[in-house]
Amino acid sequence: MSDSPTELTVALWRGAEQGRYQTYSVPRRENQTVLDVVTFVQRHLDPTLSYRFACRVGMCGSCAMTVNGRPRWTCRTHVANVAQSGRLEIGPLENLPVIKDLATDMRPFFEKWQQAKGSFAPSRTRHDAIEQIKPDSKARAFADAAIECINCGVCYAACDTVRWNADYLGPAALNRAWSLVNDERDAGNSARLKAVAAAGGCHACHSHQSCQEHCPQSLNPTASIAGLKRRTMVAYLKGELEG
């Protein structure tokens, strides 16, 4: 820390889609996170700066931004690991409309989550006995591998296919669909498989694995999407995607 500059040169995106980067000088501190830097600017240099955060401990994902060209949770990203020669460039998440400054409109992200039928469809009522799912079952293992997603949007911002194809559902929505496809209690798979097999669904994925590389939870949406590709192909051959 003693060899590091005492100040950071921070370029923050200001405005909406047609905005620009504005530079600020921020004191450098030990164990400083990128979110600390953004908060310092808003509280001490420019109160008009807009951004989102909530938990500050990597539980909500709302503080996700683009840091030096890479989407990250800013609350868990330490300046010491990303500042190059005392410089930071912080912008909003890519592939999403910018509302103002560092805050993006997450509606397209969540609308695609809904299009992928990402809501649990119960097969039983509250009056029925709770279904017993064996923890060592193959379906349970597949579902468990995908359930830790908190919908932060980092994978969506990193996805090349989303950037090229506005109709693509995106890795988070398809990852959620895969967890539900493997949930033995769910009754919505017929509609879900049709949704993810349609144009913009799992077969649009180019398997670049940007989602896996950037996921702060170390999930592998590419593997989930590959599972959906196999499952929808089987459903197609069985005639289950017709109608």
Side-chain angles (χ1 to χ4, degrees):
M1 196 66 190
S2 59
D3 297 330
S4 301
T6 58
E7 283 195 338
L8 294 165
T9 301
V10 183
L12 296 180
W13 183 261
R14 302 306 310 271
E17 298 286 349
Q18 303 302 319
R20 62 183 177 85
Y21 281 98
Q22 185 170 335
T23 302
Y24 301 87
S25 293
V26 177
R28 188 159 190 168
R29 296 168 178 166
E30 192 172 359
N31 298 321
Q32 189 176 27
T33 67
V34 174
L35 182 58
D36 291 334
V37 170
V38 175
T39 301
F40 181 91
V41 172
Q42 197 272 338
R43 292 183 179 177
H44 300 283
L45 303 178
D46 192 341
T48 67
L49 177 67
S50 295
Y51 67 106
R52 291 194 185 100
F53 76 96
C55 72
R56 301 180 68 93
V57 291
M59 296 295 292
C60 71
S62 62
C63 70
M65 303 172 200
T66 302
V67 182
N68 288 352
R70 181 186 178 101
R72 298 175 179 271
W73 290 350
T74 55
C75 72
R76 297 288 293 273
T77 301
H78 284 83
V79 169
N81 296 328
V82 294
Q84 301 173 354
S85 302
R87 294 179 175 273
L88 283 174
E89 183 180 274
I90 307 171
L93 289 179
E94 296 184 5
N95 298 335
L96 289 163
V98 180
I99 298 174
K100 182 177 180 287
D101 302 338
L102 304 174
T104 55
D105 186 349
M106 297 294 290
R107 283 181 297 181
F109 175 82
F110 288 112
E111 285 170 356
K112 289 180 178 180
W113 195 85
Q114 293 176 323
Q115 291 170 26
K117 307 297 181 184
S119 299
F120 178 74
S123 58
R124 298 189 180 192
T125 71
R126 68 179 64 186
H127 305 294
D128 297 322
I130 298 175
E131 190 164 2
Q132 301 295 313
I133 307 296
K134 294 183 178 180
D136 58 350
S137 70
K138 187 175 182 179
R140 174 63 183 269
F142 283 143
D144 280 352
I147 60 175
E148 294 300 324
C149 173
I150 62 173
N151 288 318
C152 65
V154 165
C155 64
Y156 190 88
C159 181
D160 300 315
T161 306
V162 171
R163 187 171 293 109
W164 302 329
N165 182 356
D167 295 327
Y168 180 50
L169 295 175
L174 293 170
N175 182 76
R176 171 63 177 172
W178 176 242
S179 69
L180 290 175
V181 163
N182 289 287
D183 192 329
E184 299 172 26
R185 305 164 300 168
D186 187 273
N189 272 343
S190 177
R192 186 172 296 116
L193 290 174
K194 290 178 182 178
V196 300
C202 61
H203 295 283
C205 173
H206 289 214
S207 301
H208 288 174
Q209 294 190 301
S210 298
C211 52
Q212 177 190 6
E213 178 185 351
H214 292 81
C215 178
Q217 295 284 72
S218 299
L219 300 182
N220 189 351
T222 304
S224 298
I225 294 168
L228 287 176
K229 290 178 179 179
R230 294 191 297 269
R231 188 67 67 88
T232 53
M233 180 58 69
V234 171
Y236 171 77
L237 294 174
K238 291 182 177 180
E240 297 173 354
L241 301 182
E242 299 176 0

